[in-house]
Amino acid sequence: MAALVRTVRRALAAAALALAAAGALGAGEPAALAPGSPPPRAAGPGRGPASAGPPRVLVADVRGPITGGTAEYLASALRRARDERLAAVAITLDTPGGALDATREIVQGMLASEVPTVVWVGPAGAHAASAGTILTLAANVAAMHPASNIGAVHPVTAGGRDVAAEAGKDMAEKVVNDTVAFVRSVAAERGRNAAWAEKAVRESVSVTGEEAVKLRVVDLLAPDLRAALDGAAGREVKAGGTLRVLRTRGAAVVSVEPTVRQRL
Protein backbone atom coordinates (compact mmCIF):
# COMPACT_ATOMS: atom_id res chain seq x y z
CA MET A 1 0.00 0.00 0.00
CA ALA A 2 2.81 2.42 0.87
CA ALA A 3 4.50 1.68 -2.44
CA LEU A 4 1.26 2.45 -4.31
CA VAL A 5 0.90 5.78 -2.50
CA ARG A 6 4.48 6.73 -3.39
CA THR A 7 3.86 5.83 -7.06
CA VAL A 8 0.71 7.96 -7.22
CA ARG A 9 2.49 10.90 -5.58
CA ARG A 10 5.34 10.70 -8.11
CA ALA A 11 2.86 10.65 -11.00
CA LEU A 12 1.01 13.69 -9.68
CA ALA A 13 4.26 15.56 -9.14
CA ALA A 14 5.36 14.86 -12.71
CA ALA A 15 2.03 16.07 -14.10
CA ALA A 16 2.13 19.23 -12.03
CA LEU A 17 5.67 19.92 -13.21
CA ALA A 18 4.76 19.43 -16.86
CA LEU A 19 1.70 21.68 -16.65
CA ALA A 20 3.58 24.42 -14.86
CA ALA A 21 6.46 24.14 -17.32
CA ALA A 22 4.27 24.78 -20.37
CA GLY A 23 5.50 28.31 -20.96
CA ALA A 24 7.25 30.64 -23.33
CA LEU A 25 10.64 31.50 -24.75
CA GLY A 26 12.44 34.76 -24.25
CA ALA A 27 13.04 37.14 -21.41
CA GLY A 28 12.42 40.75 -20.60
CA GLU A 29 11.30 43.23 -18.01
CA PRO A 30 8.02 45.10 -17.80
CA ALA A 31 8.41 48.69 -18.92
CA ALA A 32 7.90 51.30 -16.22
CA LEU A 33 4.82 53.43 -16.65
CA ALA A 34 4.34 57.07 -15.85
CA PRO A 35 3.68 57.39 -12.11
CA GLY A 36 0.89 59.41 -10.56
CA SER A 37 -2.74 58.74 -9.93
CA PRO A 38 -5.67 61.07 -9.27
CA PRO A 39 -7.55 60.57 -6.00
CA PRO A 40 -10.34 57.96 -5.95
CA ARG A 41 -13.72 59.14 -7.11
CA ALA A 42 -17.13 58.43 -5.70
CA ALA A 43 -19.35 55.88 -7.41
CA GLY A 44 -22.47 57.11 -9.13
CA PRO A 45 -25.64 55.32 -10.19
CA GLY A 46 -25.77 53.11 -13.25
CA ARG A 47 -25.32 49.58 -14.49
CA GLY A 48 -21.56 49.55 -13.89
CA PRO A 49 -18.81 51.54 -12.23
CA ALA A 50 -19.60 55.22 -12.82
CA SER A 51 -19.03 58.67 -11.45
CA ALA A 52 -19.69 62.32 -12.07
CA GLY A 53 -17.09 63.70 -14.42
CA PRO A 54 -14.95 61.90 -16.99
CA PRO A 55 -14.40 58.15 -16.60
CA ARG A 56 -11.05 56.79 -15.49
CA VAL A 57 -9.21 53.73 -16.80
CA LEU A 58 -6.41 51.92 -14.97
CA VAL A 59 -3.57 50.89 -17.30
CA ALA A 60 -1.25 47.96 -16.56
CA ASP A 61 1.72 47.32 -18.84
CA VAL A 62 2.85 43.71 -19.40
CA ARG A 63 6.18 43.32 -21.21
CA GLY A 64 8.20 40.12 -21.35
CA PRO A 65 7.39 36.66 -20.00
CA ILE A 66 4.26 36.06 -17.95
CA THR A 67 5.21 34.92 -14.46
CA GLY A 68 3.77 34.64 -10.98
CA GLY A 69 4.80 38.27 -10.50
CA THR A 70 2.70 39.24 -13.52
CA ALA A 71 -0.29 37.45 -12.01
CA GLU A 72 0.16 39.33 -8.73
CA TYR A 73 0.55 42.64 -10.58
CA LEU A 74 -2.64 42.22 -12.61
CA ALA A 75 -4.63 40.93 -9.63
CA SER A 76 -3.63 44.06 -7.74
CA ALA A 77 -4.68 46.24 -10.67
CA LEU A 78 -8.10 44.57 -10.87
CA ARG A 79 -8.65 45.03 -7.13
CA ARG A 80 -7.69 48.69 -7.27
CA ALA A 81 -9.98 49.32 -10.23
CA ARG A 82 -12.86 47.66 -8.39
CA ASP A 83 -12.24 49.55 -5.15
CA GLU A 84 -11.95 52.91 -6.92
CA ARG A 85 -14.93 52.23 -9.20
CA LEU A 86 -12.93 52.79 -12.38
CA ALA A 87 -14.50 52.38 -15.81
CA ALA A 88 -12.11 49.66 -16.99
CA VAL A 89 -8.70 48.04 -16.68
CA ALA A 90 -6.59 48.28 -19.83
CA ILE A 91 -3.66 45.92 -20.30
CA THR A 92 -1.00 46.81 -22.87
CA LEU A 93 0.60 43.54 -23.91
CA ASP A 94 3.83 42.45 -25.60
CA THR A 95 4.89 38.97 -24.50
CA PRO A 96 6.41 35.76 -25.84
CA GLY A 97 4.24 33.82 -23.36
CA GLY A 98 4.93 32.38 -19.97
CA ALA A 99 3.95 29.99 -17.21
CA LEU A 100 0.62 28.21 -17.69
CA ASP A 101 -0.25 28.26 -13.99
CA ALA A 102 0.26 32.04 -13.81
CA THR A 103 -1.78 32.44 -16.99
CA ARG A 104 -4.68 30.51 -15.50
CA GLU A 105 -4.58 32.67 -12.40
CA ILE A 106 -4.70 35.85 -14.48
CA VAL A 107 -7.51 34.57 -16.70
CA GLN A 108 -9.58 33.54 -13.70
CA GLY A 109 -9.25 37.05 -12.32
CA MET A 110 -10.19 38.64 -15.65
CA LEU A 111 -13.25 36.44 -16.15
CA ALA A 112 -14.47 37.11 -12.61
CA SER A 113 -13.69 40.84 -12.63
CA GLU A 114 -16.51 43.27 -11.93
CA VAL A 115 -14.53 45.87 -13.87
CA PRO A 116 -14.38 45.35 -17.66
CA THR A 117 -10.99 44.58 -19.17
CA VAL A 118 -9.48 45.84 -22.42
CA VAL A 119 -6.31 44.27 -23.84
CA TRP A 120 -4.27 46.11 -26.47
CA VAL A 121 -1.42 44.21 -28.15
CA GLY A 122 1.08 46.88 -29.03
CA PRO A 123 3.02 48.88 -30.00
CA ALA A 124 4.12 48.08 -33.57
CA GLY A 125 6.11 44.87 -33.63
CA ALA A 126 4.55 43.55 -30.41
CA HIS A 127 3.15 40.06 -30.07
CA ALA A 128 0.75 38.16 -27.86
CA ALA A 129 2.33 34.76 -28.25
CA SER A 130 1.56 31.56 -26.36
CA ALA A 131 0.13 32.54 -22.95
CA GLY A 132 -0.31 36.11 -24.23
CA THR A 133 -2.88 34.80 -26.69
CA ILE A 134 -4.95 33.36 -23.85
CA LEU A 135 -4.86 36.64 -21.94
CA THR A 136 -6.03 38.47 -25.06
CA LEU A 137 -8.89 36.01 -25.57
CA ALA A 138 -9.98 36.58 -21.96
CA ALA A 139 -10.45 40.34 -22.33
CA ASN A 140 -13.90 41.87 -22.62
CA VAL A 141 -12.54 43.87 -25.56
CA ALA A 142 -9.36 42.84 -27.41
CA ALA A 143 -7.49 45.17 -29.75
CA MET A 144 -4.23 44.85 -31.67
CA HIS A 145 -1.81 47.18 -33.39
CA PRO A 146 -1.96 46.50 -37.15
CA ALA A 147 1.73 45.55 -37.07
CA SER A 148 1.42 43.03 -34.23
CA ASN A 149 0.72 39.30 -34.16
CA ILE A 150 -0.95 36.68 -32.00
CA GLY A 151 -0.90 32.88 -31.64
CA ALA A 152 1.63 30.02 -31.33
CA VAL A 153 0.14 28.60 -28.13
CA HIS A 154 1.57 25.07 -28.34
CA PRO A 155 2.98 24.22 -24.88
CA VAL A 156 6.72 23.82 -24.40
CA THR A 157 8.87 23.45 -21.30
CA ALA A 158 10.32 26.42 -19.46
CA GLY A 159 13.54 25.84 -21.41
CA GLY A 160 11.71 25.92 -24.74
CA ARG A 161 11.95 22.18 -25.39
CA ASP A 162 9.15 19.88 -26.50
CA VAL A 163 7.22 18.51 -23.54
CA ALA A 164 7.35 14.98 -24.96
CA ALA A 165 11.15 15.05 -24.96
CA GLU A 166 11.27 15.74 -21.24
CA ALA A 167 8.07 14.22 -19.84
CA GLY A 168 7.09 11.59 -22.41
CA LYS A 169 4.50 11.37 -25.17
CA ASP A 170 1.57 10.57 -22.89
CA MET A 171 2.24 13.54 -20.64
CA ALA A 172 2.69 15.84 -23.66
CA GLU A 173 -0.69 14.74 -24.99
CA LYS A 174 -2.31 15.46 -21.63
CA VAL A 175 -0.77 18.93 -21.50
CA VAL A 176 -1.90 19.77 -25.04
CA ASN A 177 -5.44 18.49 -24.49
CA ASP A 178 -5.73 20.37 -21.21
CA THR A 179 -4.50 23.58 -22.85
CA VAL A 180 -6.91 23.12 -25.76
CA ALA A 181 -9.85 22.78 -23.37
CA PHE A 182 -8.64 25.87 -21.51
CA VAL A 183 -8.34 28.14 -24.56
CA ARG A 184 -11.60 26.90 -26.10
CA SER A 185 -13.52 27.62 -22.89
CA VAL A 186 -12.02 31.12 -22.60
CA ALA A 187 -12.75 31.91 -26.26
CA ALA A 188 -16.32 30.65 -25.97
CA GLU A 189 -16.92 32.69 -22.82
CA ARG A 190 -15.92 35.87 -24.66
CA GLY A 191 -17.64 34.98 -27.94
CA ARG A 192 -14.38 34.51 -29.82
CA ASN A 193 -13.25 31.92 -32.37
CA ALA A 194 -12.73 28.76 -30.32
CA ALA A 195 -11.79 26.67 -33.38
CA TRP A 196 -8.91 29.03 -34.19
CA ALA A 197 -7.84 29.03 -30.53
CA GLU A 198 -7.55 25.23 -30.68
CA LYS A 199 -5.44 25.42 -33.86
CA ALA A 200 -3.15 27.90 -32.12
CA VAL A 201 -2.45 25.19 -29.53
CA ARG A 202 -2.31 22.08 -31.70
CA GLU A 203 -0.65 23.60 -34.78
CA SER A 204 1.03 26.72 -33.34
CA VAL A 205 -0.71 28.94 -35.90
CA SER A 206 -0.10 32.68 -35.61
CA VAL A 207 -1.85 35.56 -37.37
CA THR A 208 -1.50 39.30 -37.89
CA GLY A 209 -3.77 41.83 -36.26
CA GLU A 210 -5.82 42.27 -39.43
CA GLU A 211 -6.26 38.51 -39.79
CA ALA A 212 -7.17 38.22 -36.11
CA VAL A 213 -10.04 40.68 -36.57
CA LYS A 214 -11.35 38.80 -39.63
CA LEU A 215 -11.14 35.49 -37.73
CA ARG A 216 -13.00 36.93 -34.68
CA VAL A 217 -9.98 36.37 -32.46
CA VAL A 218 -9.91 40.05 -31.45
CA ASP A 219 -12.41 42.87 -31.85
CA LEU A 220 -10.56 45.71 -33.52
CA LEU A 221 -7.32 47.21 -34.77
CA ALA A 222 -5.93 50.22 -32.93
CA PRO A 223 -2.68 52.12 -33.55
CA ASP A 224 -2.42 53.07 -29.87
CA LEU A 225 -4.08 52.53 -26.51
CA ARG A 226 -6.23 55.66 -26.82
CA ALA A 227 -7.68 54.37 -30.09
CA ALA A 228 -8.33 51.00 -28.44
CA LEU A 229 -10.22 52.64 -25.58
CA ASP A 230 -12.23 54.81 -27.97
CA GLY A 231 -13.05 51.75 -30.06
CA ALA A 232 -14.20 49.87 -26.97
CA ALA A 233 -16.51 52.68 -25.86
CA GLY A 234 -20.22 51.96 -26.00
CA ARG A 235 -19.84 48.19 -26.24
CA GLU A 236 -21.97 46.13 -23.90
CA VAL A 237 -19.93 43.48 -22.11
CA LYS A 238 -20.41 41.03 -19.27
CA ALA A 239 -18.32 41.78 -16.19
CA GLY A 240 -18.89 40.16 -12.82
CA GLY A 241 -22.03 38.47 -14.16
CA THR A 242 -23.59 41.83 -15.08
CA LEU A 243 -23.96 43.53 -18.45
CA ARG A 244 -22.13 46.85 -18.51
CA VAL A 245 -21.67 49.52 -21.16
CA LEU A 246 -18.05 50.58 -21.52
CA ARG A 247 -17.40 54.27 -20.82
CA THR A 248 -13.86 54.58 -22.12
CA ARG A 249 -13.99 57.30 -24.78
CA GLY A 250 -11.88 60.21 -23.65
CA ALA A 251 -11.22 58.49 -20.33
CA ALA A 252 -8.50 59.72 -18.02
CA VAL A 253 -5.68 57.15 -17.96
CA VAL A 254 -4.20 56.12 -14.62
CA SER A 255 -0.98 54.07 -14.95
CA VAL A 256 0.01 51.52 -12.35
CA GLU A 257 3.56 50.21 -12.02
CA PRO A 258 4.55 46.73 -10.82
CA THR A 259 6.49 46.43 -7.59
CA VAL A 260 10.07 45.18 -7.60
CA ARG A 261 8.87 41.68 -6.61
CA GLN A 262 6.23 41.68 -9.34
CA ARG A 263 8.87 42.46 -11.94
CA LEU A 264 10.79 39.27 -11.12
Side-chain angles (χ1 to χ4, degrees):
M1 183 65 180
L4 176 60
V5 170
R6 286 194 297 271
T7 300
V8 171
R9 285 177 176 172
R10 284 196 297 270
L12 290 174
L17 175 63
L19 288 170
L25 304 173
E29 295 183 358
L33 300 178
S37 169
R41 57 189 173 85
R47 298 176 65 184
S51 74
R56 295 167 63 216
V57 172
L58 191 69
V59 178
D61 191 42
V62 176
R63 307 279 164 196
I66 294 169
T67 65
T70 313
E72 182 180 306
Y73 170 50
L74 294 180
S76 176
L78 290 171
R79 285 194 302 271
R80 176 178 170 183
R82 177 200 63 198
D83 293 345
E84 297 185 14
R85 298 277 189 172
L86 303 189
V89 171
I91 301 170
T92 60
L93 186 64
D94 181 10
T95 177
L100 185 58
D101 53 353
T103 303
R104 283 187 179 275
E105 184 178 344
I106 295 168
V107 168
Q108 287 169 0
M110 293 174 68
L111 296 181
S113 176
E114 298 174 15
V115 181
T117 55
V118 177
V119 166
W120 176 62
V121 182
H127 60 162
S130 192
T133 300
I134 309 175
L135 264 60
T136 306
L137 293 172
N140 289 109
V141 177
M144 294 178 64
H145 190 284
S148 64
N149 61 280
I150 187 170
V153 190
H154 189 79
V156 295
T157 67
R161 297 187 60 196
D162 185 75
V163 176
E166 294 197 5
K169 182 178 178 180
D170 290 343
M171 182 56 64
E173 184 176 356
K174 289 180 181 180
V175 173
V176 168
N177 288 340
D178 182 71
T179 307
V180 164
F182 180 33
V183 299
R184 285 191 67 96
S185 65
V186 173
E189 175 65 19
R190 294 306 197 203
R192 307 197 190 283
N193 190 334
W196 179 88
E198 179 171 350
K199 287 183 66 177
V201 177
R202 295 195 185 279
E203 303 174 24
S204 290
V205 297
S206 186
V207 295
T208 65
E210 183 175 354
E211 292 168 331
V213 172
K214 291 179 179 178
L215 289 167
R216 294 186 301 104
V217 176
V218 300
D219 302 297
L220 66 145
L221 295 177
D224 53 38
L225 178 60
R226 174 57 62 192
L229 294 175
D230 288 349
R235 295 174 185 252
E236 188 175 65
V237 299
K238 185 173 73 172
T242 303
L243 290 177
R244 306 177 189 274
V245 176
L246 280 166
R247 298 176 60 247
T248 51
R249 184 177 299 278
V253 171
V254 181
S255 297
V256 58
E257 294 187 46
T259 64
V260 173
R261 184 176 72 174
Q262 291 165 355
R263 291 175 186 270
L264 300 178

